[in-house]
Every structure is written in structure tokens, then in C-alpha cells.
């Protein structure tokens, strides 16, 4: 390349960079973690951060995320449609398996517990819009802080075993999942999720138990799909139908919702939206600090132990780094026991604050592929406010 | 000691299966929504499908944002809202939960 040509291209390239930054009215910052729990408790739950009662939308306070597993009564809740059955009879409840199968099946909960191998998987379930309040301008949707997630021990039956029993017909390619939540209007699209059969592995289960108890009603009693590594939009609750097809069906909740720009940064600007989008699917690497909380006062020269959890889409957490000097230096936190590659990895980090005044504590998770969390400001905007995984900054005061 | 352990086990088993034996009731949350022109239309058309929590939670937004939301409810979620009502709702949302910007 001639020197002159080089200059030409580099000017064009820098113009493009400038162009995109000046266009980027979109800006990303720390999510809003200031909301307090409501005074109202929902069924089987403690009072949680409450965005809506119909459909129920509840967020777990950040302080809960210091352990590998999230208690059922503090586990977040997210439904899509207003009409959820208020009574389920576990003796008569069945799931229906139909479509491209040799034998249609109706399976009761008792059948599931008796006729199939019982398996357990530890897995994080996180809303694709978790931490959405980090994005400006506000993308439509619930302005979650970072508590639209939890990790549980799920017990149930492999989806594969259920499908084997029904027998897949040749040409079976897609699998649709529908739950019992209903819209107010007949014409409103059902919350059906579709997955390609190739995507499913042995870790995908139909679960009836969560942390050693029946699924809480608001977490999908009596059965829900558990898809380790995937965002929760596909973890269909009150699962009632599994339908195998040869073709992809066009559905609102698949084609319009829960999608990000189909480019490398998965980002766009409010003025210049990406034309192509893709489903959110696998979770990226992320961590949150459960203790201390924003605004906390900690004592000078005292032994402070920072605690939190880190996770990704199933590659496993390699390390968690902590900074107490605004990101200048990073030190490795101690990782607690590995509860499985889909579960939270709890971490802790002890230090003695030596300076009085304001102090920022940051946590950055790195997974086994070497992928690490970016700073908030380096995360590009997207219209749905999905997949935020910025490094959390907790502001405390040393007194 | 043995007796105690058996008793505890029995208790935990019954607790395990007693959670949702009768119908549950999701509490009604009185979200504090602003009164204003067009409120009765908002109440009639929006509340069918979702609580006011959804509205309040969006924060102050442009007219374009709110118009887009109303259209989404009609086009994607098939809410039976006619054009006249849609405009009333958009105006209410912008007047009460607007940021003063048209775009």
C-alpha cells in the first residue's frame, strides 16, 4: 500500500470511529442498585424489590448474593403474561409431548418421579435484561438492578430422556415449550420458546425441585424447564407443552423479544439500530458484590471481607479480581468450592482499609476462556438493554 | 435422639409437599400513579394486562418512546385499543411521565 493510500484509509477509519462516538447518545454506567424491598410479601417469598404485581416481577436485593445458592424465598420472579393459574393440583397436572414424535405422551408429576432417572444440576438463572438500568437512554422494559437472577440446585428429569420415550420422528429439528401463563386477550401471543434440538444436551432438565423443595409457585410450580448456561427467557415456567416440529415457527417472543444486534459488540446506537439481530441465548461472564453494599461505612484498619458471586454460560470461572484503587491494581479473590460449571462461584477477599474517606471496590470475573468483564462505560448500548455484564463498583466510606 | 431425628425428617417431608396445596393469592400492590387527563382511559385499557408498575418503572420518557410503547401493546400484544384511545393514553403518559422531549 502506498503511503498516501494509507493516510486515506486511516482518516476514513478515524472518521468512522468519531462518527460512532458522536452518534452514541447511548451510554452505559452502573445499574441502579438503590431500590429497597417492598413492604408486601408475595406467596412463599420474603418482601423483595417489587416492580409489578400483575404479572409479578420481583428482584432479589444484592446483599443476598454472597453464597453459591440463592434461597427460594428470595429468588427473583419474572412472568410475562397476567393470567397465571392460582391453583395447581399436583395429582392431576400433566405435561403433553406432541408434534414430530412417534408416540404422544401425557406425563404426570408422579410419572416423572417414577419412570425416569432423577438428576440434579446446579445452575444460575438470569434474566437477559438483568442490570438493564445501566443503559441510557432507557431501553424499554423493566429497569432491573442486578438482582434479576439466582442460582439453585434443580432436580428433575432429563429432557432427552422424555424425548427418547416419545421417540423423535425423522426430520424433527425444533422444540417448542409452552407454560400455563395466559394473556388477558385471546389474540396476544403465548409465551412459547423454541430451541433447536441440536442445542440441547444432557444438562437440560424438566425440574420439579429447587434447592430441595418443590418449586415455589412464582418460580414455576410444579414444573419448569432448566437450561443451564442460557438466559432465563427460555426457562419456561409451569411447563405444560413440549412440541417437536420440523420447522421454526415464527413467534413474537422469539422473533421480536430477547434479541441483541447480530454484530461483534452486540451493540448499536439509538439513532442507528442494527438491522440484523440474534437471540440472547448463552450468558456472558459476570460477577456481583453482595457485601459491602453501596453507601456502607466501614471502619479504618478493620478486617473487611468482600463477598460476592461470579458466573458465566458454563465455561466456568477461572478467577475473580478485586480492585480497591479504582482499577489501577487488581488482586485475586479466593474462590470458594466449585459447585459446577453452571453455578455461582462464590468469592471472598479480605483487606484492611488504610485511608479514610471514599473508597471504590470493584470486582472483575474472568472465565476459563479468558473472557473478562468490561468496564460499564465500555459496554455498547442495545435497544433491549440485554446482556449487561459490566464490572461492578461499590462505593463505601472508610470512617 | 433417634426419635428427634425421625420427627424432624417427618416434619420436613410434610413441609416439602405442603407448599401449594391450596390456591395462592398474589397481593395487590397500590402503585402510586399520577392522576391526570385521560387517566380513566389508561385505567381501562392498560390495567387489563399489566399493573401500573410497568408504567412508573420506565422513568420520564419522550413522546416518541411512549407512542412506541402504546403501539407495541396494540401491534405485538394485540390489545384492543382504538386510535382515539391510543392518542389519549400517549398524551397522558407524556404529560405525566414525560421528559419534555418530543423525540
Amino acid at each position: 500500500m502506498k503511503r498516501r493510500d494509507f493516510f486515506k484509509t486511516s482518516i476514513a477509519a478515524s472518521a468512522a470511529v468519531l462518527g460512532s462516538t458522536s452518534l452514541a447518545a447511548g451510554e452505559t454506567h452502573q445499574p441502579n442498585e438503590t431500590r429497597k424491598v417492598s413492604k408486601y410479601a408475595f406467596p412463599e417469598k420474603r418482601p423483595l424489590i417489587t416492580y409489578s404485581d400483575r404479572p409479578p416481577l420481583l428482584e432479589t436485593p444484592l446483599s443476598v448474593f454472597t453464597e453459591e445458592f440463592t434461597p427460594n424465598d428470595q429468588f427473583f420472579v419474572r412472568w410475562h403474561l397476567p393470567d397465571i393459574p392460582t391453583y395447581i393440583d399436583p395429582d392431576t397436572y400433566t405435561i403433553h409431548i406432541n408434534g414430530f414424535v412417534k408416540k404422544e405422551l401425557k406425563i404426570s408429576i408422579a410419572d416423572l418421579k417414577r419412570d425416569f432417572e432423577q438428576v440434579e444440576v446446579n445452575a444460575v438463572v438470569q434474566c437477559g435484561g438483568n442490570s438493564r438500568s445501566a443503559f441510557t437512554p432507557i431501553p424499554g422494559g423493566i429497569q432491573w438492578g442486578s438482582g434479576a437472577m439466582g442460582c439453585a440446585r434443580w432436580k428433575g428429569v432429563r429432557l432427552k430422556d422424555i424425548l427418547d420415550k416419545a421417540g423423535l420422528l425423522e426430520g424433527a429439528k425444533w422444540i417448542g415449550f409452552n407454560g400455563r401463563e395466559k394473556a388477558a386477550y385471546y389474540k396476544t401471543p403465548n409465551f412459547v420458546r423454541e430451541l433447536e434440538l441440536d442445542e440441547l444436551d444432557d444438562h437440560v432438565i424438566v425440574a420439579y425441585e429447587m434447592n430441595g423443595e418443590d418449586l415455589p409457585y412464582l418460580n414455576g410450580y410444579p414444573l419448569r424447564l432448566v437450561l443451564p448456561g442460557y438466559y432465563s427467557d427460555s426457562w419456561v415456567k409451569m411447563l405444560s407443552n413440549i412440541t417437536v416440529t420440523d420447522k421454526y415457527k415464527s413467534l413474537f417472543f422469539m422473533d421480536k423479544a430477547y434479541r441483541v444486534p447480530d454484530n461483534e459488540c452486540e451493540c448499536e446506537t439509538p439513532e442507528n439500530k442494527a438491522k440484523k439481530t440474534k437471540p440472547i441465548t448463552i450468558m456472558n461472564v459476570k460477577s456481583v458484590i453482595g457485601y459491602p453494599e453501596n453507601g456502607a461505612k466501614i471502619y479504618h484498619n478493620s478486617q473487611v471481607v468482600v463477598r460476592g458471586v461470579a458466573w458465566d454460560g458454563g465455561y466456568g470461572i477461572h478467577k475473580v479480581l478485586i480492585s480497591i484503587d479504582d482499577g489501577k491494581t487488581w488482586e485475586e479473590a479466593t474462590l470458594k468450592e466449585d459447585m459446577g460449571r453452571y453455578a455461582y462461584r462464590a468469592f471472598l477477599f479480605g483487606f484492611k482499609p488504610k485511608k479514610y474517606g471514599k473508597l471504590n471496590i470493584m470486582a472483575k470475573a474472568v472465565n476459563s476462556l479468558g473472557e473478562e468483564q468490561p468496564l460499564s462505560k465500555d459496554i455498547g448500548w442495545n435497544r433491549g438493554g440485554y446482556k449487561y455484564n459490566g464490572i461492578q463498583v461499590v462505593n463505601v466510606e472508610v470512617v | 435422639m433417634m426419635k428427634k431425628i425421625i420427627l424432624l425428617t417427618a416434619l420436613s417431608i410434610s413441609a416439602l409437599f405442603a407448599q401449594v396445596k391450596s390456591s395462592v393469592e398474589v397481593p395487590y400492590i397500590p402503585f402510586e400513579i399520577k392522576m391526570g387527563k385521560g387517566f380513566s382511559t389508561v385505567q381501562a385499557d392498560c390495567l387489563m394486562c399489566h399493573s401500573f408498575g410497568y408504567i412508573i418503572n420506565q422513568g420520564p420518557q419522550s413522546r416518541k418512546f411512549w407512542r412506541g410503547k402504546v403501539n407495541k401493546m396494540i401491534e405485538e400484544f394485540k390489545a384492543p385499543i382504538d386510535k382515539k384511545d391510543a392518542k389519549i393514553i400517549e398524551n397522558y403518559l407524556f404529560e405525566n411521565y414525560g421528559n419534555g422531549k418530543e423525540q
Side-chain angles (χ1 to χ4, degrees):
Chain A
M1 191 198 285
K2 285 183 208 155
R3 191 176 160 82
R4 183 180 287 198
D5 290 349
F6 172 75
F7 272 112
K8 251 189 201 161
T9 31
S10 65
I11 287 165
S14 58
V17 169
L18 281 176
S20 69
T21 38
S22 64
L23 270 180
E27 137 195 354
T28 311
H29 39 78
Q30 290 291 302
N32 182 353
E33 313 287 5
T34 62
R35 300 177 181 103
K36 299 279 175 270
V37 300
S38 152
K39 57 183 171 180
Y40 303 95
F42 280 61
E44 303 169 86
K45 297 286 176 184
R46 297 189 208 189
L48 297 171
I49 299 165
T50 304
Y51 295 100
S52 172
D53 50 352
R54 205 169 146 271
L57 301 173
L58 308 173
E59 181 178 333
T60 307
L62 270 189
S63 59
V64 174
F65 300 110
T66 56
E67 306 277 339
E68 291 87 349
F69 297 109
T70 315
N72 286 4
D73 63 355
Q74 292 176 291
F75 215 94
F76 91 107
V77 170
R78 199 274 188 256
W79 293 78
H80 296 83
L81 301 171
D83 189 6
I84 309 164
T86 53
Y87 178 66
I88 297 283
D89 181 353
D91 298 329
T92 58
Y93 192 94
T94 55
I95 45 168
H96 197 174
I97 292 93
N98 61 4
F100 254 60
V101 291
K102 293 189 183 116
K103 192 170 58 178
E104 280 198 19
L105 297 177
K106 274 193 173 157
I107 304 176
S108 71
I109 298 166
D111 297 337
L112 269 185
K113 292 182 178 177
R114 189 190 54 233
D115 300 342
F116 296 87
E117 189 185 342
Q118 311 297 299
V119 293
E120 279 194 8
V121 62
N122 299 335
V124 174
V125 57
Q126 179 188 202
C127 178
N130 193 25
S131 314
R132 182 179 283 128
S133 57
F135 293 101
T136 302
I138 297 185
I142 299 306
Q143 299 304 304
W144 299 106
S146 294
M149 60 166 191
C151 180
R153 285 177 286 127
W154 309 94
K155 185 175 178 188
V157 169
R158 287 187 200 95
L159 177 65
K160 189 177 159 288
D161 293 350
I162 296 173
L163 293 177
D164 282 350
K165 187 149 195 175
L168 294 177
L169 287 175
E170 202 173 320
K173 190 156 191 295
W174 290 89
I175 179 161
F177 302 92
N178 193 10
R180 294 260 166 123
E181 59 182 323
K182 292 274 180 293
Y185 299 109
Y186 174 69
K187 284 183 175 169
T188 306
N190 270 335
F191 189 75
V192 178
R193 301 301 293 172
E194 276 181 308
L195 292 168
E196 209 160 351
L197 276 164
D198 298 353
E199 289 181 75
L200 305 175
D201 63 17
D202 277 1
H203 298 289
V204 178
I205 68 170
V206 172
Y208 52 81
E209 231 178 80
M210 175 174 161
N211 291 328
E213 299 174 357
D214 287 351
L215 287 174
Y217 169 78
L218 290 171
N219 293 105
Y221 182 83
L223 298 171
R224 87 176 294 176
L225 191 64
V226 166
L227 269 167
Y230 281 69
Y231 286 103
S232 62
D233 48 298
S234 296
W235 295 47
V236 174
K237 296 181 285 300
M238 269 186 204
L239 185 64
S240 56
N241 281 81
I242 299 177
T243 305
V244 182
T245 56
D246 58 338
K247 282 195 203 74
Y248 175 79
K249 271 195 293 180
S250 184
L251 300 159
F252 169 77
F253 283 105
M254 290 303 295
D255 294 347
K256 302 276 178 72
Y258 295 115
R259 297 179 77 91
V260 286
D262 190 3
N263 55 31
E264 205 181 331
C265 69
E266 299 182 343
C267 68
E268 58 195 343
T269 64
E271 298 83 7
N272 195 4
K273 291 195 182 120
K275 291 203 173 60
K276 259 186 86 186
T277 60
K278 60 184 176 187
I280 57 176
T281 63
I282 308 280
M283 296 189 286
N284 51 19
V285 63
K286 188 168 175 178
S287 66
V288 297
I289 295 169
Y291 179 85
E293 287 184 84
N294 257 331
K297 286 187 168 61
I298 55 178
Y299 287 111
H300 179 257
N301 221 18
S302 65
Q303 189 67 52
V304 177
V305 180
V306 177
R307 286 175 191 271
V309 295
W311 70 100
D312 74 344
Y315 300 106
I317 293 301
H318 172 54
K319 59 183 174 183
V320 175
L321 300 167
I322 303 287
S323 175
I324 49 170
D325 57 5
D326 300 311
K328 285 188 212 69
T329 59
W330 295 87
E331 273 186 81
E332 258 184 69
T334 304
L335 298 183
K336 290 178 72 180
E337 193 187 341
D338 187 352
M339 307 309 273
R341 63 196 177 101
Y342 296 111
Y344 281 152
R345 194 75 191 265
F347 64 84
L348 51 96
F349 178 82
F351 75 102
K352 283 186 175 180
K354 296 288 185 198
K355 270 193 247 167
Y356 289 99
K358 298 228 182 299
L359 175 76
N360 292 330
I361 305 170
M362 301 160 81
K364 170 164 74 174
V366 183
N367 72 5
S368 63
L369 297 181
E371 295 168 337
E372 57 179 62
Q373 290 180 262
L375 292 167
S376 300
K377 67 175 179 63
D378 295 332
I379 297 178
W381 187 88
N382 71 81
R383 76 195 81 168
Y386 294 122
K387 296 183 73 169
Y388 171 87
N389 69 334
I391 292 171
Q392 192 191 349
V393 184
V394 174
N395 323 116
V396 298
E397 196 182 349
V398 181
V399 294
Chain B
M1 189 59 199
M2 200 57 208
K3 218 174 178 180
K4 206 172 179 183
I5 288 168
I6 290 165
L7 187 66
L8 280 173
T9 316
L11 272 176
S12 71
I13 285 171
S14 66
L16 194 65
F17 296 105
Q19 290 176 98
V20 191
K21 268 297 185 190
S22 59
S23 76
V24 300
E25 203 170 320
V26 172
Y28 167 73
I29 310 281
F31 287 101
E32 285 178 24
I33 185 123
K34 293 180 191 165
M35 293 297 132
K37 195 178 161 204
F39 177 71
S40 60
T41 308
V42 169
Q43 199 170 25
D45 288 344
C46 305
L47 217 45
M48 277 301 290
C49 293
H50 63 79
S51 70
F52 290 142
Y54 269 71
I55 296 174
I56 295 166
N57 185 247
Q58 302 296 311
Q61 293 291 348
S62 69
R63 178 180 290 282
K64 188 183 168 197
F65 177 93
W66 286 122
R67 187 188 302 133
K69 286 288 150 201
V70 176
N71 284 341
K72 181 180 173 186
M73 297 305 144
I74 297 168
E75 283 159 23
E76 307 291 3
F77 292 101
K78 313 296 176 197
I81 301 173
D82 63 28
K83 282 204 170 117
K84 190 174 133 250
D85 275 9
K87 193 70 196 165
I88 294 171
I89 295 167
E90 175 194 315
N91 286 339
Y92 164 87
L93 291 170
F94 186 60
E95 276 160 30
N96 293 283
Y97 295 96
N99 61 6
K101 294 178 189 157
E102 288 292 318
Q103 288 292 312

